[in-house]
Amino acid sequence: VQLQASGGGLVQAGGSLTLSCAASGRGSSDKVMGMGWYRQAPGKIREFVADISSGGDVDYGVTVKGRFFISRDNNAKNTVYLQMNSLTLEDTAVYYCKMDSPLGFEHDYWGQGTQVTVSS
């Protein structure tokens, strides 16, 4: 399974950006899996951003709650979006997409990351 994250870029503070993550490859569309987003800023540890379960339950990190929204593409199995609003300089990071593995969290799939840079 490969995860392709896209949609990153440069945006001004207060602006919005939408990230996409699509799973492909063998096994990527067997069943709906939990997916999520994490981010890592320079010099910081990877931080949980948001996730959506196979059943549609969503959860958000405290720093993004109320500003970011994760959703699933109803027409494409295992494709998710992250709508990011009211972006601040602190949201600058590389954003990584993750998909749960049926073999357990040790085998979760990770995308290559997409850079989001928020400017003042």
Side-chain angles (χ1 to χ4, degrees), residues 32-35 52-54 70-74 78-81:
V32 176
M33 300 299 294
M35 299 184 72
I52 182 166
S53 73
S54 58
I70 189 170
S71 62
R72 204 181 269 283
D73 190 329
N74 293 325
N78 295 325
T79 294
V80 294
Y81 306 99

Side-chain angles (χ1 to χ4, degrees), residues 3-117:
L3 298 178
Q4 181 66 47
S6 60
L10 177 64
V11 62
Q12 283 194 321
S16 298
L17 208 58
T18 299
L19 305 183
S20 302
C21 176
S24 63
R26 189 173 185 176
S28 64
S29 58
D30 289 349
K31 57 185 291 189
V32 176
M33 300 299 294
M35 299 184 72
W37 291 93
Y38 289 72
R39 67 185 183 185
Q40 188 166 18
K44 294 187 177 181
I45 62 172
R46 191 167 292 191
E47 174 190 21
F48 167 73
V49 176
D51 65 16
I52 182 166
S53 73
S54 58
D57 295 328
V58 299
D59 193 19
Y60 297 95
V62 292
T63 58
V64 306
K65 204 166 190 176
R67 300 186 298 122
F68 290 14
F69 300 94
I70 189 170
S71 62
R72 204 181 269 283
D73 190 329
N74 293 325
N75 297 316
K77 196 174 288 184
N78 295 325
T79 294
V80 294
Y81 306 99
L82 183 69
Q83 173 70 39
M84 306 185 293
N85 302 319
S86 303
L87 287 162
T88 70
L89 300 180
E90 289 68 38
D91 294 318
T92 295
V94 178
Y95 284 70
Y96 296 92
C97 174
K98 180 185 77 74
M99 188 174 89
D100 295 345
S101 167
L103 301 178
F105 71 91
E106 304 93 335
H107 302 280
D108 286 346
Y109 306 104
W110 290 86
Q112 83 289 358
T114 184
Q115 176 71 47
V116 172
T117 302

